Amino acid sequence: IACGPSANEVDFLPLKGKNNIKIMIINKPISYIWPVDYWAFCDHSQYVRNKVDFDNYNGLLINSVGVKAKKPNQVLIKAIQGKGFNPDIINGYFIGRSSVYANMQTALFMNFDKIFIFGIDMCAVDGKTHHYGNGFNPDVAPDLRIQRFEHEAAHYSGAGNILSEDVRKKFYFCSSYNQWPFTNKFNKWDHKDAVAKILEIAK
C-alpha cells in the first residue's frame, strides 16, 4: 500500500489477518490497519517523520542502506544506481525514484504469487498527491512532486520492457487514477473493487 490519495478510498481492513495475504506499507503507516506484516521505505527522512512508529514496530522493516537508524527486525538493501530491475535483491535493488518500484523487486524475491499495488496513482486527486495530504512530506513541493512522476514512470516502463510476461502478470496496479501507459504492461484494476477480488482469489 503506497501513499497515493486513492488509498483513502479503499478499506484494507478485510485483508488484515488472512493467512495467505501479507500486507506491506510503503513509507507512512496507515493507523487503522497498523501494524502490518512489512513496512518498507528507502529514505532516512521517512524514519525522522515516523520515528515513534519505527521505534515501536515489531514486524519486518525493509529499508535501503540510506536509512541510518537500525533495529534487529530490519533488512537493509543496497541501492543500485541507474535503470534496471533486479529480483535478486541479495545484490541490491534499483530504487527507480520510487520506494514502490524498489519493493516490487523485494516482493518478487520473497516469491509471492500475486502482488497487488495500491495507492500508486502518480497524479493529484482533488489537489492531493498523497493520502495524508500535501503537508506531511516537506522534501518535495506538490507541484514538483507531480513533475517527478514522469521520471518515475520511465523506470516502471523500463521494467515492463525487460520483464517476461509471466513476471509482469504477477503485478496488479490497483488504481483507476493512474493513467501512465506502463500500467498496460501489467495487470490493472480499479482500486475500489480490488479488495473484494483479492479476497475471492485468496479463498
Side-chain angles (χ1 to χ4, degrees), residues 44 48 59 78 81 91 101 109 166 191 201:
H44 185 73
V48 173
K78 181 179 72 173
Q81 300 302 312
N91 302 315
Y101 186 83
F109 181 80
D166 287 346
H191 58 280
I201 290 172

PDB file of all heavy atoms in Angstrom, residues 44 48 59 78 81 91 101 109 166 191 201:
ATOM      1  N   HIS A  44      15.930   8.139   4.645  1.00  0.00           N
ATOM      2  CA  HIS A  44      16.085   8.370   6.081  1.00  0.00           C
ATOM      3  C   HIS A  44      15.069   9.393   6.585  1.00  0.00           C
ATOM      4  O   HIS A  44      14.654   9.331   7.753  1.00  0.00           O
ATOM      5  CB  HIS A  44      17.504   8.851   6.388  1.00  0.00           C
ATOM      6  CG  HIS A  44      17.777   8.994   7.849  1.00  0.00           C
ATOM      7  ND1 HIS A  44      17.956   7.910   8.691  1.00  0.00           N
ATOM      8  CD2 HIS A  44      17.862  10.106   8.629  1.00  0.00           C
ATOM      9  CE1 HIS A  44      18.152   8.349   9.928  1.00  0.00           C
ATOM     10  NE2 HIS A  44      18.101   9.664   9.920  1.00  0.00           N
ATOM     11  N   VAL A  48      12.762   9.818  10.172  1.00  0.00           N
ATOM     12  CA  VAL A  48      12.675  11.013  11.008  1.00  0.00           C
ATOM     13  C   VAL A  48      11.222  11.395  11.261  1.00  0.00           C
ATOM     14  O   VAL A  48      10.830  11.714  12.385  1.00  0.00           O
ATOM     15  CB  VAL A  48      13.452  12.176  10.348  1.00  0.00           C
ATOM     16  CG1 VAL A  48      13.236  13.475  11.123  1.00  0.00           C
ATOM     17  CG2 VAL A  48      14.934  11.850  10.268  1.00  0.00           C
ATOM     18  N   GLY A  59       7.209  -5.762  13.257  1.00  0.00           N
ATOM     19  CA  GLY A  59       7.175  -6.559  12.037  1.00  0.00           C
ATOM     20  C   GLY A  59       8.511  -6.480  11.318  1.00  0.00           C
ATOM     21  O   GLY A  59       9.528  -6.092  11.899  1.00  0.00           O
ATOM     22  N   LYS A  78      21.037  -2.693  -0.454  1.00  0.00           N
ATOM     23  CA  LYS A  78      21.851  -1.713  -1.174  1.00  0.00           C
ATOM     24  C   LYS A  78      21.100  -1.196  -2.388  1.00  0.00           C
ATOM     25  O   LYS A  78      20.447  -1.960  -3.103  1.00  0.00           O
ATOM     26  CB  LYS A  78      23.166  -2.367  -1.614  1.00  0.00           C
ATOM     27  CG  LYS A  78      24.108  -1.423  -2.348  1.00  0.00           C
ATOM     28  CD  LYS A  78      25.395  -2.128  -2.739  1.00  0.00           C
ATOM     29  CE  LYS A  78      25.155  -3.111  -3.868  1.00  0.00           C
ATOM     30  NZ  LYS A  78      26.412  -3.688  -4.391  1.00  0.00           N
ATOM     31  N   GLN A  81      22.616   1.960  -8.650  1.00  0.00           N
ATOM     32  CA  GLN A  81      22.419   3.174  -9.433  1.00  0.00           C
ATOM     33  C   GLN A  81      21.982   2.853 -10.858  1.00  0.00           C
ATOM     34  O   GLN A  81      22.277   1.790 -11.391  1.00  0.00           O
ATOM     35  CB  GLN A  81      23.713   4.000  -9.455  1.00  0.00           C
ATOM     36  CG  GLN A  81      24.194   4.437  -8.082  1.00  0.00           C
ATOM     37  CD  GLN A  81      23.167   5.258  -7.326  1.00  0.00           C
ATOM     38  OE1 GLN A  81      22.589   6.193  -7.878  1.00  0.00           O
ATOM     39  NE2 GLN A  81      22.926   4.918  -6.064  1.00  0.00           N
ATOM     40  N   ASN A  91      21.940  -8.742  -4.115  1.00  0.00           N
ATOM     41  CA  ASN A  91      22.932  -7.838  -4.695  1.00  0.00           C
ATOM     42  C   ASN A  91      22.462  -6.389  -4.715  1.00  0.00           C
ATOM     43  O   ASN A  91      23.170  -5.516  -5.208  1.00  0.00           O
ATOM     44  CB  ASN A  91      23.247  -8.282  -6.128  1.00  0.00           C
ATOM     45  CG  ASN A  91      23.765  -9.700  -6.174  1.00  0.00           C
ATOM     46  OD1 ASN A  91      24.617 -10.070  -5.381  1.00  0.00           O
ATOM     47  ND2 ASN A  91      23.246 -10.496  -7.096  1.00  0.00           N
ATOM     48  N   TYR A 101       8.660   0.971  -6.527  1.00  0.00           N
ATOM     49  CA  TYR A 101       9.440   0.293  -7.555  1.00  0.00           C
ATOM     50  C   TYR A 101      10.509  -0.597  -6.918  1.00  0.00           C
ATOM     51  O   TYR A 101      10.679  -1.749  -7.310  1.00  0.00           O
ATOM     52  CB  TYR A 101      10.099   1.334  -8.470  1.00  0.00           C
ATOM     53  CG  TYR A 101      10.807   0.745  -9.660  1.00  0.00           C
ATOM     54  CD1 TYR A 101      10.101   0.406 -10.810  1.00  0.00           C
ATOM     55  CD2 TYR A 101      12.189   0.536  -9.651  1.00  0.00           C
ATOM     56  CE1 TYR A 101      10.750  -0.133 -11.909  1.00  0.00           C
ATOM     57  CE2 TYR A 101      12.839   0.004 -10.743  1.00  0.00           C
ATOM     58  CZ  TYR A 101      12.123  -0.330 -11.867  1.00  0.00           C
ATOM     59  OH  TYR A 101      12.757  -0.875 -12.956  1.00  0.00           O
ATOM     60  N   PHE A 109      11.457 -11.258  -4.900  1.00  0.00           N
ATOM     61  CA  PHE A 109      12.451 -12.043  -4.157  1.00  0.00           C
ATOM     62  C   PHE A 109      11.784 -12.889  -3.076  1.00  0.00           C
ATOM     63  O   PHE A 109      12.212 -14.012  -2.797  1.00  0.00           O
ATOM     64  CB  PHE A 109      13.480 -11.103  -3.531  1.00  0.00           C
ATOM     65  CG  PHE A 109      14.555 -11.812  -2.768  1.00  0.00           C
ATOM     66  CD1 PHE A 109      15.626 -12.392  -3.430  1.00  0.00           C
ATOM     67  CD2 PHE A 109      14.509 -11.902  -1.387  1.00  0.00           C
ATOM     68  CE1 PHE A 109      16.624 -13.056  -2.726  1.00  0.00           C
ATOM     69  CE2 PHE A 109      15.498 -12.557  -0.673  1.00  0.00           C
ATOM     70  CZ  PHE A 109      16.567 -13.140  -1.352  1.00  0.00           C
ATOM     71  N   ASP A 166       5.263 -13.584 -17.838  1.00  0.00           N
ATOM     72  CA  ASP A 166       4.903 -14.327 -16.624  1.00  0.00           C
ATOM     73  C   ASP A 166       5.189 -13.508 -15.374  1.00  0.00           C
ATOM     74  O   ASP A 166       4.399 -13.528 -14.421  1.00  0.00           O
ATOM     75  CB  ASP A 166       5.671 -15.651 -16.564  1.00  0.00           C
ATOM     76  CG  ASP A 166       5.163 -16.677 -17.556  1.00  0.00           C
ATOM     77  OD1 ASP A 166       4.060 -16.467 -18.105  1.00  0.00           O
ATOM     78  OD2 ASP A 166       5.864 -17.678 -17.782  1.00  0.00           O
ATOM     79  N   HIS A 191      -9.184   0.377  -8.042  1.00  0.00           N
ATOM     80  CA  HIS A 191      -8.892   0.210  -6.618  1.00  0.00           C
ATOM     81  C   HIS A 191     -10.145  -0.012  -5.788  1.00  0.00           C
ATOM     82  O   HIS A 191     -10.076  -0.652  -4.733  1.00  0.00           O
ATOM     83  CB  HIS A 191      -8.123   1.422  -6.083  1.00  0.00           C
ATOM     84  CG  HIS A 191      -8.826   2.729  -6.261  1.00  0.00           C
ATOM     85  ND1 HIS A 191      -8.830   3.422  -7.449  1.00  0.00           N
ATOM     86  CD2 HIS A 191      -9.550   3.489  -5.388  1.00  0.00           C
ATOM     87  CE1 HIS A 191      -9.515   4.539  -7.308  1.00  0.00           C
ATOM     88  NE2 HIS A 191      -9.973   4.611  -6.062  1.00  0.00           N
ATOM     89  N   ILE A 201      -9.889 -14.411  -4.697  1.00  0.00           N
ATOM     90  CA  ILE A 201      -8.737 -15.204  -5.147  1.00  0.00           C
ATOM     91  C   ILE A 201      -8.122 -15.970  -3.984  1.00  0.00           C
ATOM     92  O   ILE A 201      -7.678 -17.111  -4.150  1.00  0.00           O
ATOM     93  CB  ILE A 201      -7.684 -14.276  -5.784  1.00  0.00           C
ATOM     94  CG1 ILE A 201      -8.175 -13.718  -7.115  1.00  0.00           C
ATOM     95  CG2 ILE A 201      -6.358 -15.009  -5.988  1.00  0.00           C
ATOM     96  CD1 ILE A 201      -7.293 -12.659  -7.696  1.00  0.00           C
TER      97      ILE A 201
END
